[in-house]
Amino acid sequence: MRVGTPGFVPERLIEARAARRILSKKALATAMSVNPSTVTRWEDGSSAPDAEALGALASQLHVRREYFLRPVAHSDRPLFYRTLSSTLVKDLNYQESQMRWLQEISSIAEHYVDFPEIDIPDVLNGASYKQLRDEDIEQIASDMRVRWGIGEGPCIDMMPLLERIGCIVASIEMGTAKLDGLCSWISGSERPHILLSTDKMSFPRRQMDAAHELGHAILHRNVTEDELKKDLKEIERQAFRFASAFLMPATTYSYEVKSPSLASLLTLKERWRVSVKAQIRRLSDLDLIPSEYATSLYKLYSAKGWSREEPLDRNWQISEPTLLRNSLELIVESAVRGKSDLLNVEFTMKAGDIENLAALPPGWFSKAGELVSLKLRDAGSTAEATATKILPFPPRQ
């Protein structure tokens, strides 16, 4: 018989432990001075912590007690990782927990703010990703450029584009250079959520990572969990092919490659804002250079030490997402919800977690003189005072 706090959600404990990088139930039990079997029962749902233990859990994991009483942001679609290696399980679990928190933050914000409409068409029209040929992916990338008014030249910055077409994007430090990005959806919604890594990041790499996750959002929205595990290598190859075609259109980029040397590709990098390494791969994919020559370029690339950092990598400032930040600022500035209300009523994570995922400045929630209380329309009418007010989101210039 399950005892303890009614409504306790075991998955939330697993999620919070992953978010705090507590690698085992035993480690959490030790930190709380309880028996490891107790934490095991909490996580498998056979028992629930009592009120005192719930408070201790919340304190240990730096969340509000209510955190454990809210449902997990489930998705009926898989999370698109670059790798499912067992050696990265702790990092993958952390990344997944941050994606779930991002989805929770965006769901709360969208309750008050109208996000941009989703402008990602169903390009497969019911077909399977398994039917895609490389020429299909090239055409889809070209069609998307036309749809979104990019033209055939360089895509200056992927970040504002993703948000303009309705994606929710966050960019955080993952604690490892082996993870790049993540794409997922909330059940019942077609709005993609994209989580990008800032570890060892350069602008060209950010461009490719963002375009890669966009590729998943366009090509793989109907892929199942089993298909992802079985065909991960091919699914990732397709996303990379889309990203390359989107950032370096065959109809324009390829004609600018006069002589495929590292020097000439470095010059093209300054214009197209993609790495030399990605350009080598692109030229090889388009059969503009033989595989043997591509191998020679890669070897010379490595010999120059460019695997650690390429020339021009620091030429451009990496932009941050703004949609969630602007949304929360708009909610507060419009007096629909104050910072204290958001932090102590709406959200269940700590302030730093929300600031990190929403690209808010550190300390945003605690800055003196900036707390704005909820403005009641009619103090005598509770129903009207608490009625939701939808705020139109200002279009990006």
Side-chain angles (χ1 to χ4, degrees):
M1 178 178 178
R2 180 172 171 174
V3 296
T5 304
F8 179 79
V9 181
E11 293 86 353
R12 291 290 263 177
L13 174 54
I14 299 171
E15 181 183 83
R17 183 162 61 79
R20 301 302 178 219
R21 295 186 184 273
I22 300 176
L23 304 183
S24 67
K25 293 183 282 288
K26 181 179 179 181
L28 177 58
T30 300
M32 295 183 62
S33 299
V34 300
N35 194 299
S37 63
T38 300
V39 177
T40 297
R41 289 194 298 272
W42 290 344
E43 291 198 0
D44 66 21
S46 58
S47 70
D50 58 24
E52 183 179 354
L54 185 68
L57 266 179
S59 177
Q60 184 67 45
L61 296 171
H62 305 290
V63 294
R64 291 199 298 119
R65 296 161 66 99
E66 292 81 1
Y67 173 88
F68 300 104
L69 307 179
R70 293 188 183 180
V72 174
H74 281 298
S75 175
D76 51 4
R77 302 174 185 178
L79 290 163
F80 286 92
Y81 295 102
R82 302 292 179 89
T83 176
L84 294 176
S85 171
S86 60
T87 60
L88 291 175
V89 63
K90 67 179 187 299
D91 297 316
L92 292 172
N93 288 341
Y94 172 77
Q95 194 178 37
E96 180 175 350
S97 72
Q98 296 304 296
M99 171 59 83
R100 298 307 180 206
W101 284 7
L102 172 65
Q103 292 172 335
E104 184 172 340
I105 291 169
S106 74
S107 294
I108 291 171
E110 194 170 13
H111 185 68
Y112 297 102
V113 173
D114 285 326
F115 287 162
E117 291 187 11
I118 304 167
D119 187 15
I120 301 177
D122 182 4
V123 297
L124 298 187
N125 295 315
S128 169
Y129 71 95
K130 298 176 183 179
Q131 299 172 264
L132 284 172
R133 303 165 298 173
D134 286 344
E135 51 264 41
D136 296 327
I137 297 174
E138 294 281 333
Q139 186 61 54
I140 290 169
S142 178
D143 291 344
M144 292 304 96
R145 276 180 155 261
V146 173
R147 181 185 183 95
W148 298 326
I150 299 175
E152 295 189 346
C155 179
I156 301 302
D157 194 344
M158 284 294 302
M159 188 66 74
L161 171 64
L162 289 177
E163 295 191 321
R164 175 165 63 85
I165 63 176
C167 297
I168 301 296
V169 189
S171 175
I172 66 171
E173 185 176 345
M174 299 292 185
T176 174
K178 296 180 180 180
L179 296 178
D180 299 299
L182 191 66
C183 179
S184 184
W185 292 260
I186 301 176
S187 292
S189 172
E190 292 300 318
R191 191 178 299 281
H193 286 66
I194 294 174
L195 186 61
L196 300 172
S197 170
T198 60
D199 302 74
K200 296 185 178 180
M201 183 54 60
S202 66
F203 185 86
R205 179 174 173 179
R206 163 62 59 78
Q207 289 281 88
M208 186 59 69
D209 286 349
H212 184 107
E213 300 309 323
L214 178 59
H216 285 311
I218 292 174
L219 304 176
H220 304 131
R221 62 169 63 182
N222 295 320
V223 169
T224 66
E225 191 79 43
D226 288 341
E227 288 174 332
L228 178 63
K229 292 178 180 179
K230 181 181 178 181
D231 297 332
L232 177 63
K233 186 175 181 180
E234 172 61 14
I235 289 171
E236 284 298 293
R237 189 197 70 80
Q238 289 181 356
F240 186 85
R241 181 72 183 232
F242 172 88
S244 298
F246 191 79
L247 294 177
M248 295 170 279
T251 54
T252 49
Y253 164 80
S254 59
Y255 290 100
E256 295 187 18
V257 184
K258 304 303 181 183
S259 58
S261 64
L262 292 187
S264 66
L265 297 184
L266 195 58
T267 299
L268 288 172
K269 175 180 179 177
E270 188 170 8
R271 167 168 157 76
W272 288 89
R273 302 190 178 192
V274 288
S275 70
V276 171
K277 189 173 185 179
Q279 291 183 70
I280 297 173
R281 171 74 175 272
R282 180 64 171 152
L283 294 176
S284 179
D285 285 344
L286 292 174
D287 295 324
L288 295 178
I289 58 174
S291 59
E292 297 82 3
Y293 187 64
T295 300
S296 297
L297 288 177
Y298 283 133
K299 288 181 178 179
L300 181 58
Y301 177 95
S302 179
K304 288 179 172 290
W306 289 5
S307 298
R308 294 186 296 273
E309 181 178 87
E310 288 187 14
L312 306 180
D313 270 356
R314 304 191 186 192
N315 269 30
W316 306 277
Q317 182 177 353
I318 300 175
S319 60
E320 291 187 341
T322 62
L323 181 58
L324 282 181
R325 183 188 70 204
N326 290 344
S327 298
L328 294 178
E329 289 176 343
L330 179 62
I331 291 169
V332 171
E333 291 169 2
S334 301
V336 174
R337 277 293 197 193
K339 291 183 180 180
S340 181
D341 292 314
L342 289 173
L343 192 59
N344 298 311
V345 178
E346 296 284 11
F347 298 122
T348 56
M349 300 83 81
K350 70 176 184 178
D353 297 314
I354 304 162
E355 291 163 354
N356 190 33
L357 286 163
L360 289 163
W364 184 78
F365 279 100
S366 59
K367 286 182 180 178
E370 293 193 11
L371 293 180
V372 182
S373 298
L374 178 63
K375 184 182 293 183
L376 303 182
R377 297 179 182 176
D378 181 359
S381 173
T382 302
E384 185 173 346
T386 58
T388 300
K389 181 180 180 182
I390 303 299
L391 303 174
F393 195 82
R396 178 170 299 189
Q397 300 299 320

